[in-house]
Amino acid sequence: MVCLGNICRSPLAEGILKSKLFRANVFIDSAGTGAYHIAEKPDNRSIAVAKINGIDITDQRARKFLVEDFDEFDLIYVMDQANYRDVTEMARNKEDLAKVKMILNEVFPNENLDVPDPYLGGDYGFKNVYKMLDEACDLIAKKINPDG
Ligand code: 4NP
């Protein structure tokens, strides 16, 4: 799960998908394309909206997306078109490139819709982001582990 700061959207996406796939043998992580918040905890507003929904993301720490992540992961979900550009620019070959997906394309195929960056907004933005990611992660979880 990749966003810009790795403190608002992608930590939520990581926590939500982990909660839906806790029985499956999959490794889920998140990272940011920017280095502004390395080693920080998720934004308090992301922690709060996760908590209301029964998910604890307080142990997460922000890190930067690395080219080695293309070797570690089969699927790389980005939150918006800027993330898509930044991550795909790091791809070394067509296999790397094929791993990168816009997360809302799971819900709205081929529309390339952004999960809006909630960083400079209020709490409502975080609730909205949570809802979008929950819906997308439901579909991702069903694809990865159809038996639930
Ligand atoms: P995120 O939100 O990409 O969802 O983690 C942001 C967090 C911080 C900044 C931008 C976006 N920032 O510019 O510091």
Side-chain angles (χ1 to χ4, degrees):
M1 299 297 187
V2 178
C3 63
L4 174 59
N6 192 209
I7 56 166
C8 298
R9 292 165 293 177
S10 59
L12 278 176
E14 176 187 335
I16 293 168
L17 191 61
K18 279 179 172 166
S19 77
K20 295 181 191 293
L21 284 173
F22 68 94
R23 287 190 210 84
N25 186 24
V26 289
F27 180 66
I28 301 161
D29 195 13
S30 65
T33 57
Y36 320 104
H37 296 281
I38 288 175
E40 290 179 23
K41 280 200 297 197
D43 188 283
N44 283 330
R45 296 163 295 179
S46 283
I47 290 176
V49 75
K51 191 175 171 194
I52 295 169
N53 289 281
I55 296 174
D56 182 357
I57 62 168
T58 54
D59 285 346
Q60 293 186 34
R61 295 295 178 270
R63 71 170 181 91
K64 199 166 181 302
F65 180 81
L66 304 169
V67 71
E68 291 80 18
D69 287 317
F70 286 114
D71 300 321
E72 291 293 320
F73 295 92
D74 301 312
L75 290 165
I76 297 166
Y77 288 102
V78 298
M79 302 294 132
D80 65 27
Q81 298 189 34
N83 308 150
Y84 185 85
R85 194 188 53 233
D86 292 340
V87 170
T88 55
E89 272 175 4
M90 292 168 71
R92 300 156 299 184
N93 51 49
K94 64 180 194 310
E95 286 74 28
D96 288 357
L97 195 58
K99 293 181 176 184
V100 189
K101 321 262 182 206
M102 296 275 294
I103 194 166
L104 288 187
N105 280 355
E106 298 298 312
V107 187
F108 307 102
N110 305 314
E111 292 195 25
N112 298 329
L113 297 175
D114 292 346
V115 178
D117 182 348
Y119 185 60
L120 295 175
D123 290 344
Y124 178 75
F126 282 77
K127 282 194 184 142
N128 188 37
V129 162
Y130 188 94
K131 208 162 143 251
M132 290 175 174
L133 292 176
D134 190 49
E135 202 177 339
C137 287
D138 247 341
L139 296 170
I140 293 168
K142 288 196 174 101
K143 240 193 236 175
I144 292 178
N145 192 29
D147 303 328

